[in-house]
Amino acid sequence: FDLDHTVIRYKLPNIYRLIYSALSRFLVEEKGFDRSLLDPIGKHHDLMQKGIILDGVKGIFLKLASNGYILRAFHGTRPLSGEEIARSYGTDRIWEHHTVLRDTVKQIEKHWFFDNYFSTPGIVLAARVIDLFDKNKSLDKEWPNIWKDIIQAFVHLFDHPNFKKGTGGYFSEVTQNTSEYVYPISDRLKSWMRDLKSRGVHLFLMTSSHIDYSRMLLNYAYGTGWQDLFDLVIVDAKKPQFFTDQNPFYSIGPDDDVIAEPVKDLIRGSVFSQGSEACLRKFFAQVATVESPSILYIGDSVRSDIFPPTKFDGWQTVAIVEEMANENIWDLETVKSDDGPQAKKQKQEEVEKDPVLLSSLWGGFLQDEVVSGDSNKLERCKTFWGDVIAQYSSLAVPYLDVLSQYPLDADLTQVHSL
């Protein structure tokens, strides 16, 4: 299991406001940007959508169809017309880097995609900065340097030492007011995870967050005893490099600092830092007494959790895609179950929808509409990220809690309808 936005589900409207506020304060107080950036997200909340690409050369935000066709675009906070898109990218409206992005799911030089909910508020920030840049209002920097300032704001916000120091504006607020930002884990999900373990499934938790922040979240959301669920807990995993590089594992000291000496053997039931897929696979081969263990990983980030383990290591993956609930893509009616149609209907209603994930400006995250060249009518199409998730995940669900609604032997492969 991944941790953030998987085992731990955040209250996104509150998280968005917190992250935007902290990022904008950094730019204003540390980099001298105009104080108008401190205005709340407000009317610009619809600019936020996971997966939006920022063309760092032109200062244009892009949303792509599965074939790289530019469905919608904004320059700063201003939407671009079809004619404007064609002038910038050609009449075919194809973004030239879409094949490289699909094949690597890596950030491309001079461009950036907002791949998770922690980075999404940066769209509003960058859009407002672009507006200021266009107006030349209190800005004496070139755009590349401005973008570096925005990246530095993100680095500062999530810099690990800020947790202990209580600085940076993010960790201290989430720690002091956790209930404002994090949902408790349901009793049903706790029971489901315990049932998995009791049936002999070897569970591990792997997150790029550090141990102190991870512990704080799980102590609140799960309560005591969460570490007993897992054969192994891996923190600061440095995904996606975890799946391709050969970094050693390290122990965690009593003060939560990493012990410098690499670990030779992983100890079941312990917490380790960093590491690699190869070492993890060796551990589970020994624990499960099989030569080649089958590994399933559940996470939300296409870049860190879904693409690399599938592409490079042959893992199966389950993608957590909260937008599925808003776009009515999660189809419980097709699941083979003995519960009966009434129970299935009730389960469908339990899939919560978060309005902040449905943008009137960008349309759906997974599906959108495009004008057909033949009929000049709007037709449904799969978005770029909807197609990538469908290609690289074995299953997609809106929330981890959804899986706990079914027997452990239920066949859920039919509901991957992205």
Side-chain angles (χ1 to χ4, degrees):
F1 297 93
D2 179 33
L3 180 67
D4 296 300
H5 307 294
T6 301
V7 173
I8 296 296
R9 184 181 169 205
Y10 289 88
K11 299 178 180 180
L12 292 181
N14 296 347
I15 280 288
Y16 283 174
R17 285 192 291 269
L18 172 62
I19 291 175
Y20 179 84
S21 175
L23 291 173
S24 61
R25 283 202 311 274
F26 179 86
L27 288 188
V28 171
E29 296 172 3
E30 302 297 328
K31 298 297 180 177
F33 280 71
D34 191 87
R35 293 189 62 82
S36 63
L37 292 180
L38 298 176
D39 292 344
I41 291 174
K43 64 180 181 181
H44 292 140
H45 73 92
D46 260 0
L47 280 173
M48 294 185 294
Q49 184 174 88
K50 188 171 63 177
I52 295 302
I53 298 164
L54 173 59
D55 182 330
V57 176
K58 300 176 181 178
I60 296 177
F61 298 93
L62 305 172
K63 179 186 178 183
L64 306 182
S66 58
N67 63 353
Y69 178 84
I70 299 171
L71 293 167
R72 307 172 192 231
F74 281 73
H75 179 72
T77 62
R78 183 179 66 85
L80 298 186
S81 66
E83 291 78 10
E84 289 175 308
I85 295 173
R87 282 199 298 270
S88 294
Y89 296 98
T91 54
D92 60 358
R93 292 174 57 160
I94 298 294
W95 191 54
E96 60 179 329
H97 303 290
H98 75 95
T99 301
V100 173
L101 182 57
R102 173 184 286 276
D103 290 344
T104 64
V105 193
K106 288 183 178 180
Q107 303 292 359
I108 301 172
E109 185 179 4
K110 298 182 180 180
H111 306 285
W112 182 270
F113 64 93
F114 298 83
D115 72 312
N116 58 55
Y117 300 125
F118 288 141
S119 65
T120 298
I123 297 173
V124 176
L125 184 68
R128 289 177 171 177
V129 169
I130 290 170
D131 287 350
L132 289 173
F133 182 72
D134 288 344
K135 296 175 182 177
N136 199 27
K137 183 180 180 181
S138 301
L139 291 178
D140 57 359
K141 303 180 180 182
E142 295 299 321
W143 168 246
N145 292 326
I146 292 172
W147 179 241
K148 288 179 182 178
D149 287 342
I150 295 174
I151 295 298
Q152 189 176 346
F154 272 107
V155 172
H156 172 76
L157 182 65
F158 296 113
D159 191 24
H160 173 233
N162 285 333
F163 185 91
K164 286 185 178 180
K165 295 177 182 177
T167 56
Y170 176 80
F171 291 119
S172 57
E173 172 62 20
V174 175
T175 300
Q176 293 169 16
N177 300 291
T178 313
S179 63
E180 294 294 316
Y181 301 101
V182 175
Y183 288 103
I185 297 173
S186 70
D187 290 338
R188 181 175 61 196
L189 180 54
K190 293 179 186 178
S191 178
W192 179 76
M193 297 175 77
R194 288 193 294 265
D195 286 347
L196 281 174
K197 186 175 181 66
S198 69
R199 292 198 181 196
V201 178
H202 298 286
L203 305 182
F204 70 101
L205 182 72
M206 180 168 65
T207 175
S208 290
S209 293
H210 289 258
I211 182 59
D212 42 16
Y213 181 63
S214 301
R215 183 194 299 116
M216 182 275 295
L217 291 173
L218 287 163
N219 284 347
Y220 169 78
Y222 186 94
T224 59
W226 58 266
Q227 193 171 334
D228 297 335
L229 286 173
F230 304 108
D231 290 72
L232 209 61
V233 174
I234 304 168
V235 297
D236 190 23
K238 302 190 183 305
K239 298 178 291 181
Q241 291 84 359
F242 178 92
F243 298 103
T244 55
D245 295 354
Q246 298 299 316
N247 295 324
F249 280 97
Y250 296 90
S251 295
I252 306 291
D255 56 357
D256 290 340
D257 289 331
V258 174
I259 297 175
E261 186 70 21
V263 172
K264 294 182 179 179
D265 297 302
L266 300 179
I267 302 172
R268 192 172 181 178
S270 299
V271 179
F272 295 97
S273 177
Q274 302 180 44
S276 69
E277 192 276 345
C279 292
L280 180 66
R281 180 177 291 275
K282 180 181 177 182
F283 167 79
F284 278 115
Q286 295 171 344
V287 169
T289 62
V290 295
E291 183 176 345
S292 181
S294 297
I295 303 177
L296 172 71
Y297 190 57
I298 305 175
D300 70 293
S301 171
V302 180
R303 184 178 74 93
S304 299
D305 302 326
I306 305 304
F307 172 82
T310 302
K311 176 80 171 180
F312 302 115
D313 300 310
W315 291 17
Q316 289 186 298
T317 57
V318 174
I320 302 297
V321 187
E322 295 193 28
E323 291 83 357
M324 292 178 73
N326 293 68
E327 299 177 39
N328 298 316
I329 293 176
W330 173 249
D331 183 9
L332 294 177
E333 292 299 325
T334 63
V335 178
K336 290 181 180 178
S337 171
D338 297 329
D339 295 344
Q342 186 59 41
K344 286 187 229 178
K345 181 179 179 182
Q346 177 64 31
K347 289 172 183 175
Q348 179 76 61
E349 293 169 352
E350 290 175 359
V351 180
E352 301 176 23
K353 299 182 179 182
D354 194 332
V356 77
L357 294 177
L358 191 58
S359 169
S360 62
L361 298 178
W362 290 114
F365 169 65
L366 299 163
Q367 296 181 358
D368 206 337
E369 294 181 335
V370 64
V371 177
S372 170
D374 298 328
S375 63
N376 206 32
K377 294 181 179 179
L378 287 176
E379 295 182 354
R380 298 294 293 173
C381 70
K382 189 174 289 185
T383 67
F384 179 85
W385 292 112
D387 199 42
V388 170
I389 293 170
Q391 179 180 354
Y392 289 104
S393 64
S394 306
L395 178 70
V397 296
Y399 311 114
L400 183 59
D401 204 271
V402 168
L403 295 177
S404 69
Q405 299 176 16
Y406 297 98
L408 295 180
D409 57 357
D411 181 7
L412 297 177
T413 57
Q414 304 167 77
V415 301
H416 191 294
S417 53
L418 292 182

